[in-house]
Amino acid sequence: MDILFAQIQADLRSNDALRQSGALLQALQQSAAGRDISVLAKSAVEEIVASPASAVSKKLAFDLIRSTRLTPDLWETVCSGVRKDLDFPDPDVTAAAVSILAAVPSYRLGKLINDCHKEISACFDSPSDNLRFSITETLGCILARDDLVTLCENNINLLDRVSNWWNRIAQNMLDKSDSVSKVAFESIGKLFQEFESKKMSRLAGDKLVDTENSVAIRSNWISSMVDFAWKKRSALMSRSIILPIESFRATVFPLVYAVKAVASGSIEVIKKLSMSSKTRSDTTSDSANTERFVGVSDVVSHLAPFLASSLDPALIFEVGINMLYLADVPGGKPEWASASTIAILTLWDRQEYSSARESIVRAVVTNLHLLDLSMQVSLFKRLLVMVRNLRAESDRMHALACICRTALCVDLFAKESVRRGQKPLAGTDIVSLFEDASVKDDLNSVTSKSLFREELVAMLVESCFQLSLPLPEQKSSGMESRVIGALAYGTGYGALNWTEPALEVVEVCRPCVKWDCDGRTYAIDCYLKLLVRLCHIYDTRGGIKRVKDGASQDQILNETRLQNLQRELVKDLSEVNTPRICSRLLWAISEHIDLEGLDPLLADDPDDPLNIIISNIHKVLFNIDSSASTTNRLQDVQAILLCAQRLGSRNARAGNLLTKELEDFRSNPAADSVNKHQCRLMIQRIKYVHNHSDDKWAGVSEARGDYPFSNHKLTVQFYDASAAQDRKLEGLIHKAVLELWRPDPSELTELMTKGINSSLIKVPPNAFTLTGSSDPCYVEGYHLSDPNDGRITLHLKVLNLTEIELHRVDIRVGLSGGLYFMNGSPQAVRQLRNLNSQEPVICSVTVGVSHFERCALSVQVQYYGIGAMGDYEGDYPEEDPQIVRQKRNSRNELWEPILRCQPYKIPLTELLLPHKISPVEYFRLWPSLPAIVECTGTYTYEGSGFKATAAQQYGESPFLSGLKSLSSKPFHKVCSHIIRTVAGFQLCYAAKTWYGGFIGMMIFGASEVSRNVDLGDETTTMICKFVVRASDASITKEIGSDLQGWMDDLTDGTVEYMPEDEVKAAAAERLRTSLERIALLKAARPRTKPGTEEEKEKEKEEEASDEDGETEDKENGDEGGKKSKGPSTLFKLTPEEVEHRALQVAVLQEWHMLCKDKSTKVN
């Protein structure tokens, strides 16, 4: 291999263009084989890039540079070679030099473009097609990126140049050369895409904060390009038609984007963002609206023929997607959408575009609402089959969410239309989703191995729950506005209109309760949750309402259907295959079944619903086989016992039957001591209710519509395969549903709706100083994180503090923890040259994060060219003459000191994302999280706890001052409770790591007044208990390895960690102090007089009789004094437990006070 490399290097040094190009091709082959060719790249830079060579050799050398890593020194050589080549007379050599600009690192690009701006501008006027192509392609890649926008923000001259270059690229769309025209269309398309997605900036590793100016700069470029394309649309369409057919695809998106921006009115908002002083034309006039619609129609007419006549699948897809994009403008026609949809679905049938299966499905389901009703209905069956075959879960979930939402929309819309007297349309009900034979068979099969049926049922049910919530507001008209309009039309005239499609869902999905899903329960739990909600809304306990009670015909029909469904489910109880589901289904039915409506003459009939329920309760209670114990029999028995108590309290016959069952269970060895006590208590309650049937007793409670079960297993079962699959499916479905029904608006959308003053223009984070006070350079840094790509970018500002110019300074960055560089190198080097005094220089480093771990970046600064000696020119009388000569000679030598900076630590919280979760789900999930870590911290705040909490209602309270920085951390605040009686609180937070691990955190706080209080303001110490539970032990291990660091990350250093022994000592000290005070108070009582001794004896007698009241009768006064109890020796409370119990009592008192006047019914 060494011989081969030596031969290649020798060929590179020769002046023979043929040998050089052959050697470069060999080097590229070695690079493709995965070998280290950095030696060859160095030779190529020095012998070809920095020296005159042929255009082919230059091009191959630049390809070699792109395939390897260069040191900063070599990049300097490359940049100097490029500067020379831009002046070279041969346009092909110049074109090769231009092409490498896109690969130049960001930190070096700005200076290079500034130095060569005249040469770059001259390339646009070159007669060479190759050079015009190269400059248009390269600048199209560079100019839209974030790093260049930031350079323009700080350099007004560069901004003018870049704006002119964009205008030249736009004019090149009409260039005489086909290749130049095509690449100009692509470049403008990249600018438009970058405005919305920032795809190229992410690929280049730029993680920059958008400021007001950078948004304005980009918006200005966009508005000028859109104006150009709108005015020249006829010429651009004509130019695109005469391009070769394989190039036509590149022309579609820029044209459609510009026309859509003008037709939808978004260009006006973009101009507002750009803060340009141009006067805007009146856009509300009829002529302007007509021109817009004609412009859109022209583009559609221009594109439509390619849907039918083209044979290129990629072109058909591109045209179809863009026509769907245009169909959404005001005045858009359903025919445009249907033609595109049919063309895209034909691609699926022809199987010619299999690489884009996900894209085809996403395109169709996202735009379903643009089609007319009959076409939407006809597509349901087909789309479900297509979605079933998608490999990627996220794509499958998104498509399912779209289909379910559209099915609910269609159903609601059709029902409302029928109410208004229109003719009903066939196939608009939810059942049409299950018309396909394979989907229907899956639904009715018991042991199908398909996960798709669970996904479909769970997604349908979750979509129904979203439908029951208020619809999101629409600030701007867009693709979503039609969906929201259809839903508002269907649900707007009745608060319960959403229950009609939901009722169809529970009817159609009834077979799911019989499924055997290998222990998975999420889909069935979702189904039962919706069933319980509907039974509660329609009050199925109270039977079917009548017209004279004020019920409408629709309500009577719906209640009849629900009652029939309940009876069918009762019959299905014997066929339930999952033990956990059997008890839950029993609870769901018995809680809401109409017991009074049962026929008393059928009391002995084994098919009577109540008899079937009782027999199944017996089956669950006495089921002791191994499968039941492995699937958590404890939980099943608890559910059944609660179910039995509530069922027995409602109906006399049920009470009698259940009393017998509970008595049998008590005497059965399968019942443990807790179960036996529960059974005794429940039997007493049932008997009490039946003996006092005329009294209203609190135990006969109404149904609340809540489903108290969850698919989350307990901690010991957390790692079961079924539990893990349930959690994964739940996460995927919730994410897809929320993204579709309650999407977070993009930054661009918020800027367009709220304006430039919105809070979206982020302030860059606080910078940390990394150098010492005596260092030649001042270095400070801040970081920005990108959870989507798993990257963190460190931005450094270097300031030369000396009075001389530093010719070269190297910034070296090393890594610790879970960080890595994208190119696999052990460290990054940034060479900074010619640092003038007091002139700041910016550079950045992007790293990837591999896993959840504490990590840091170590920064070193290496200085070149600093003299080792001073400039003293005198003699050295006390030294030996030889040493004096050496010192004088060494004055001209230079040394290169390396100064280490403080490590830049990445906070552990930076690797988290807020996880939105409801309090109910949070508290159900909390006990099942297997890993736990606890710690205690303290902070002080002004004022006593009572005053501080009372101040909360008047403004900013100092009470939670130590935790106020938590609001800016990536945690979702689930719920909080302030305990005013003892000035305490409980806060609950939820988050996920970048890698999917769940973290729940509870913070409990109790405050106490500091003992050493100076005259003036009173300070109070808040003691906080942090309890963190996680889905993986590695997360808590990382947090527990540095608890003070974790608190600093959470609270920005305001909370101080207290070790456990200090916590216990402080609790004991508080208890001792309080006991001393009590003793002092007792000692301070006035001494009793002799005449009152008889009264004291009577008091003692009463106290003693109160304490022994359960076991002894009241005795006389003489014995009463002797019978008072001494301290109990059964248990001894630690100081911590005493305090904890006191806190619990205070919480309960506070809770009762808060809830005394509130109705606790669940609506």
Side-chain angles (χ1 to χ4, degrees):
M1 192 56 64
D2 292 341
I3 298 172
L4 177 62
F5 277 23
Q7 179 63 47
I8 292 173
Q9 283 177 301
D11 286 347
L12 290 175
R13 288 191 206 100
S14 71
N15 288 327
D16 184 354
L18 199 59
R19 284 178 65 190
Q20 283 180 337
S21 56
L24 288 167
L25 285 171
Q26 278 187 310
L28 284 168
Q29 281 180 341
Q30 297 302 318
S31 173
R35 297 189 181 92
D36 182 13
I37 56 158
S38 50
V39 180
L40 301 179
K42 185 173 185 294
S43 298
V45 167
E46 291 169 350
E47 303 298 335
I48 294 178
V49 176
S51 310
S54 69
V56 174
S57 300
K58 292 271 187 187
K59 191 84 173 158
L60 290 171
F62 288 137
D63 287 341
L64 190 65
I65 288 170
R66 288 190 190 95
S67 68
T68 187
R69 296 194 301 269
L70 293 189
T71 62
D73 284 336
L74 287 177
W75 272 120
E76 284 298 325
T77 310
V78 169
C79 290
S80 61
V82 167
R83 274 202 300 272
K84 291 175 191 168
D85 286 348
L86 287 174
D87 275 336
F88 203 74
D90 183 356
D92 290 340
V93 172
T94 309
V98 164
S99 68
I100 196 61
L101 288 176
V104 173
S106 297
Y107 61 87
R108 193 64 191 77
L109 182 62
K111 188 170 187 302
L112 183 60
I113 287 181
N114 260 329
D115 293 345
C116 309
H117 67 91
K118 288 180 183 173
E119 292 84 352
I120 291 173
S121 298
C123 293
F124 282 106
D125 300 319
S126 168
S128 165
D129 292 349
N130 186 22
L131 182 51
R132 292 202 310 281
F133 172 87
S134 184
I135 195 69
T136 307
E137 181 186 43
T138 306
L139 289 186
C141 291
I142 297 173
L143 299 186
R145 282 190 344 215
D146 273 355
D147 53 348
L148 208 95
V149 174
T150 308
L151 287 172
C152 291
E153 192 180 341
N154 299 320
N155 186 335
I156 193 68
N157 293 328
L158 182 62
L159 175 59
D160 290 341
R161 287 170 196 142
V162 172
S163 300
N164 288 333
W165 290 342
W166 273 122
N167 291 330
R168 296 303 300 270
I169 291 174
Q171 289 163 16
N172 276 356
M173 288 194 286
L174 298 170
D175 193 89
K176 62 182 180 181
S177 164
D178 287 344
S179 59
V180 175
S181 175
K182 178 201 168 188
V183 85
F185 273 109
E186 283 177 348
S187 299
I188 300 298
K190 283 174 187 168
L191 175 65
F192 291 156
Q193 282 174 333
E194 197 69 5
F195 189 51
E196 299 194 343
S197 68
K198 295 206 171 176
K199 185 178 177 183
M200 279 193 299
S201 298
R202 284 213 305 275
L203 288 174
D206 302 325
K207 296 288 171 296
L208 303 172
V209 176
D210 271 339
T211 61
E212 192 171 336
N213 289 337
S214 66
V215 172
I217 288 168
R218 214 188 280 271
S219 305
N220 201 6
W221 294 343
I222 292 283
S223 63
S224 60
M225 295 302 100
V226 167
D227 282 345
F228 177 86
W230 174 252
K231 288 170 185 169
K232 303 271 187 182
R233 61 184 182 277
S234 301
L236 290 173
M237 285 189 279
S238 304
R239 181 70 185 88
S240 65
I241 285 174
I242 59 173
L243 280 176
I245 190 66
E246 61 271 11
S247 303
F248 180 80
R249 187 157 66 100
T251 69
V252 178
F253 174 70
L255 202 53
V256 167
Y257 184 93
V259 170
K260 169 88 181 269
V262 174
S264 64
S266 61
I267 186 62
E268 302 305 321
V269 187
I270 293 173
K271 283 181 177 173
K272 210 180 288 181
L273 287 180
S274 70
M275 298 184 290
S276 64
S277 55
K278 297 173 188 173
T279 55
R280 284 174 288 152
S281 59
D282 180 24
T283 58
T284 57
S285 65
D286 290 340
S287 60
N289 288 334
T290 306
E291 187 189 359
R292 287 175 173 184
F293 183 69
V294 169
V296 174
S297 299
D298 286 347
V299 174
V300 170
S301 306
H302 163 67
L303 295 176
F306 290 92
L307 287 177
S309 62
S310 175
L311 297 176
D312 178 14
L315 177 58
I316 293 174
F317 184 72
E318 184 76 20
V319 170
I321 285 286
N322 282 284
M323 278 184 62
L324 285 170
Y325 186 62
L326 278 180
D328 197 36
V329 300
K333 297 178 180 178
E335 292 81 14
W336 300 348
S338 56
S340 306
T341 306
I342 291 166
I344 291 172
L345 288 174
T346 307
L347 290 180
W348 179 284
D349 294 338
R350 282 158 52 182
Q351 296 185 347
E352 291 179 357
Y353 205 40
S354 56
S355 60
R357 294 162 73 88
E358 284 81 6
S359 304
I360 287 174
V361 173
R362 184 170 279 260
V364 175
V365 296
T366 309
N367 295 286
L368 265 176
H369 57 276
L370 297 177
L371 306 170
D372 57 2
L373 273 185
S374 56
M375 188 167 181
Q376 289 184 30
V377 170
S378 66
L379 284 178
F380 283 154
K381 191 195 308 184
R382 182 174 180 189
L383 281 172
L384 279 178
V385 176
M386 292 167 67
V387 168
R388 189 179 191 145
N389 292 317
L390 292 184
R391 296 176 298 277
E393 288 162 331
S394 56
D395 286 323
R396 200 163 65 238
M397 294 304 159
H398 173 265
L400 268 179
C402 288
I403 292 169
C404 291
R405 183 176 73 167
T406 309
L408 293 173
C409 269
V410 167
D411 189 73
L412 278 167
F413 194 85
K415 283 186 170 62
E416 184 61 29
S417 300
V418 170
R419 276 192 211 105
R420 298 185 181 195
Q422 295 180 22
K423 187 179 176 183
L425 187 67
T428 52
D429 48 3
I430 300 295
V431 186
S432 61
L433 281 179
F434 297 91
E435 283 179 350
D436 183 70
S438 59
V439 177
K440 192 181 286 184
D441 290 346
D442 249 2
L443 187 68
N444 291 296
S445 165
V446 173
T447 56
S448 169
K449 297 297 178 188
S450 167
L451 269 173
F452 180 71
R453 61 179 188 171
E454 294 173 51
E455 294 168 356
L456 178 57
V457 168
M459 188 66 81
L460 255 179
V461 172
E462 293 287 2
S463 300
C464 287
F465 280 121
Q466 288 297 324
L467 196 57
S468 69
L469 300 172
L471 297 172
E473 289 183 40
Q474 281 298 309
K475 294 287 176 66
S476 63
S477 63
M479 298 179 74
E480 290 299 304
S481 58
R482 295 192 180 210
V483 181
I484 302 302
L487 291 175
Y489 174 77
T491 58
Y493 294 96
L496 295 182
N497 277 1
W498 72 271
T499 57
E500 294 187 3
L503 187 54
E504 286 195 21
V505 168
V506 290
E507 285 177 336
V508 170
C509 300
R510 180 172 64 86
C512 74
V513 296
K514 304 182 206 172
W515 290 348
D516 180 7
C517 299
D518 300 327
R520 297 185 299 274
T521 63
Y522 173 62
I524 313 174
D525 277 325
C526 285
Y527 173 81
L528 293 177
K529 198 192 301 183
L530 181 60
L531 176 69
V532 166
R533 178 78 65 89
L534 289 174
C535 290
H536 171 64
I537 287 173
Y538 282 108
D539 187 24
T540 51
R541 268 190 184 188
I544 300 171
K545 315 302 178 295
R546 292 169 297 180
V547 175
K548 67 178 184 181
D549 297 329
S552 66
Q553 291 295 335
D554 284 344
Q555 184 182 344
I556 294 170
L557 177 64
N558 291 340
E559 290 186 7
T560 308
R561 287 165 65 186
L562 258 181
Q563 297 278 4
N564 294 336
L565 178 67
Q566 282 181 333
R567 284 178 169 74
E568 294 293 330
L569 285 168
V570 168
K571 291 175 186 172
D572 290 340
L573 274 169
S574 58
E575 300 177 53
V576 173
N577 287 286
T578 310
R580 298 188 76 185
I581 293 303
C582 188
S583 57
R584 295 175 181 195
L585 181 58
L586 272 169
W587 187 91
I589 294 170
S590 62
E591 187 74 359
H592 296 92
I593 195 165
D594 177 19
L595 293 174
E596 308 304 327
L598 297 178
D599 190 345
L601 298 175
L602 298 176
D604 297 329
D605 185 355
D607 291 336
D608 180 64
L610 183 56
N611 290 336
I612 297 175
I613 289 172
I614 301 293
S615 66
N616 278 280
I617 285 177
H618 176 90
K619 191 167 76 175
V620 174
L621 287 178
F622 293 94
N623 182 12
I624 53 170
D625 63 353
S626 59
S627 66
S629 57
T630 54
T631 54
N632 212 340
R633 181 173 179 273
L634 280 174
Q635 212 176 29
D636 296 343
V637 169
Q638 288 296 315
I640 287 298
L641 291 177
L642 285 171
C643 168
Q645 177 195 320
R646 295 169 72 90
L647 187 62
S649 304
R650 280 205 293 138
N651 182 273
R653 180 158 75 93
N656 293 331
L657 292 169
L658 285 168
T659 303
K660 180 178 176 298
E661 290 294 338
L662 292 173
E663 290 283 6
D664 291 347
F665 184 58
R666 269 183 74 191
S667 56
N668 191 286
D672 57 24
S673 58
V674 174
N675 293 149
K676 288 175 181 175
H677 285 302
Q678 282 177 311
C679 290
R680 180 176 62 83
L681 179 63
M682 288 171 181
I683 291 167
Q684 286 177 349
R685 283 182 172 176
I686 291 171
K687 286 178 178 173
Y688 181 89
V689 173
H690 295 156
N691 293 338
H692 301 78
S693 54
D694 296 333
D695 299 340
K696 175 68 177 169
W697 183 59
V700 188
S701 54
E702 295 177 0
R704 299 196 165 199
D706 184 33
Y707 179 72
F709 306 103
S710 166
N711 61 288
H712 295 290
K713 309 288 195 294
L714 295 177
T715 312
V716 288
Q717 296 173 312
F718 190 82
Y719 294 107
D720 284 0
S722 61
Q725 282 177 311
D726 266 343
R727 286 197 307 275
K728 182 179 179 182
L729 182 59
E730 181 184 26
L732 287 167
I733 286 182
H734 281 188
K735 184 180 177 188
V737 164
L738 285 177
E739 279 180 359
L740 187 67
W741 287 83
R742 303 280 186 274
D744 289 329
S746 67
E747 291 186 15
L748 179 64
T749 309
E750 289 213 4
L751 279 172
M752 287 184 167
T753 51
K754 296 182 181 175
I756 201 71
N757 296 323
S758 78
S759 57
L760 265 174
I761 304 296
K762 305 184 194 77
V763 178
N766 294 329
F768 295 95
T769 304
L770 302 178
T771 48
S773 56
S774 59
D775 288 1
C777 281
Y778 166 80
V779 179
E780 68 173 21
Y782 67 89
H783 73 276
L784 297 171
S785 54
D786 181 11
N788 297 322
D789 294 340
R791 295 179 185 176
I792 288 177
T793 301
L794 175 65
H795 293 272
L796 296 171
K797 182 167 82 173
V798 183
L799 185 67
N800 178 8
L801 297 178
T802 65
E803 294 180 357
I804 59 172
E805 180 184 357
L806 296 176
H807 296 294
R808 176 176 163 187
V809 173
D810 281 4
I811 306 291
R812 301 177 182 273
V813 181
L815 307 176
S816 65
L819 301 178
Y820 64 92
F821 286 111
M822 305 298 165
N823 56 12
S825 59
Q827 70 170 1
V829 181
R830 295 286 179 265
Q831 279 189 6
L832 309 176
R833 292 181 180 270
N834 304 324
L835 271 69
N836 297 321
S837 177
Q838 303 299 325
E839 186 178 304
V841 178
I842 309 294
C843 65
S844 66
V845 176
T846 300
V847 295
V849 188
S850 59
H851 56 277
F852 185 79
E853 184 186 357
R854 292 185 183 281
C855 43
L857 294 102
S858 306
V859 180
Q860 293 181 351
V861 186
Q862 184 169 7
Y863 300 91
Y864 293 84
I866 295 180
M869 308 288 295
D871 290 334
Y872 178 61
E873 293 290 341
D875 294 327
Y876 301 88
E878 73 283 0
E879 299 279 2
D880 183 74
Q882 187 176 355
I883 296 173
V884 170
R885 267 198 311 277
Q886 285 177 355
K887 287 191 175 181
R888 279 182 173 159
N889 292 336
S890 69
R891 266 190 308 116
N892 297 322
E893 294 177 5
L894 302 176
W895 61 299
E896 299 167 359
I898 298 178
L899 298 181
R900 290 187 179 84
C901 301
Q902 293 183 50
Y904 187 94
K905 293 181 180 176
I906 305 295
L908 206 51
T909 50
E910 201 66 42
L911 307 182
L912 298 176
L913 292 170
H915 179 63
K916 289 183 181 176
I917 187 171
S918 69
V920 173
E921 284 299 316
Y922 180 81
F923 288 114
R924 283 176 182 166
L925 180 61
W926 177 262
S928 73
L929 295 170
I932 186 167
V933 63
E934 299 181 11
C935 54
T936 307
T938 60
Y939 64 88
T940 58
Y941 63 94
E942 297 294 325
S944 70
F946 300 102
K947 289 177 187 172
T949 45
Q952 279 208 316
Q953 54 194 313
Y954 302 114
E956 189 66 28
S957 165
F959 181 57
L960 294 172
S961 59
L963 302 175
K964 63 184 178 184
S965 59
L966 262 169
S967 60
S968 62
K969 304 297 177 190
F971 281 94
H972 171 64
K973 189 172 182 179
V974 181
C975 56
S976 62
H977 180 59
I978 306 295
I979 309 155
R980 285 174 293 181
T981 50
V982 290
F985 59 82
Q986 176 188 357
L987 305 172
C988 301
Y989 293 93
K992 279 201 168 184
T993 67
W994 286 7
Y995 311 96
F998 180 84
I999 291 181
M1001 181 170 68
M1002 287 193 193
I1003 306 174
F1004 303 92
S1007 64
E1008 59 171 30
V1009 178
S1010 305
R1011 277 175 301 169
N1012 303 321
V1013 180
D1014 297 331
L1015 294 174
D1017 290 338
E1018 186 180 4
T1019 61
T1020 310
T1021 302
M1022 178 67 74
I1023 299 175
C1024 301
K1025 181 87 168 179
F1026 292 78
V1027 183
V1028 179
R1029 297 191 79 152
S1031 59
D1032 195 349
S1034 63
I1035 297 173
T1036 50
K1037 182 183 175 185
E1038 200 58 45
I1039 291 170
S1041 64
D1042 182 7
L1043 291 170
Q1044 180 62 61
W1046 171 248
M1047 290 187 184
D1048 289 344
D1049 293 347
L1050 286 176
T1051 61
D1052 294 339
T1054 54
V1055 174
E1056 185 180 350
Y1057 170 64
M1058 276 182 76
E1060 284 306 307
D1061 51 350
E1062 286 185 27
V1063 174
K1064 290 174 182 172
E1069 178 67 19
R1070 283 197 298 275
L1071 187 64
R1072 188 181 63 77
T1073 308
S1074 59
L1075 290 173
E1076 284 175 2
R1077 286 176 183 164
I1078 292 168
L1080 284 171
L1081 289 170
K1082 283 183 178 177
R1085 280 182 181 173
R1087 297 184 65 180
T1088 56
K1089 295 177 182 176
T1092 60
E1093 283 182 8
E1094 290 180 7
E1095 295 173 12
K1096 290 288 176 186
E1097 289 294 321
K1098 286 180 182 177
E1099 286 176 14
K1100 285 183 180 179
E1101 173 202 350
E1102 287 170 7
E1103 286 172 12
S1105 64
D1106 284 345
E1107 289 174 349
D1108 301 337
E1110 288 186 10
T1111 56
E1112 296 182 19
D1113 295 324
K1114 191 176 178 182
E1115 299 183 6
N1116 61 27
D1118 292 327
E1119 291 174 347
K1122 298 174 186 175
K1123 281 285 180 185
S1124 60
K1125 279 190 177 180
S1128 169
T1129 55
L1130 292 177
F1131 58 85
K1132 186 177 179 183
L1133 293 176
T1134 65
E1136 255 187 310
E1137 288 168 333
V1138 170
E1139 187 179 13
H1140 185 64
R1141 289 193 173 194
L1143 186 60
Q1144 280 182 324
V1145 171
V1147 172
L1148 289 171
Q1149 286 174 348
E1150 175 67 13
W1151 187 254
H1152 286 304
M1153 191 183 81
L1154 288 172
C1155 299
K1156 194 163 42 178
D1157 302 325
K1158 290 181 182 177
S1159 168
T1160 55
K1161 285 185 182 181
V1162 177
N1163 294 323

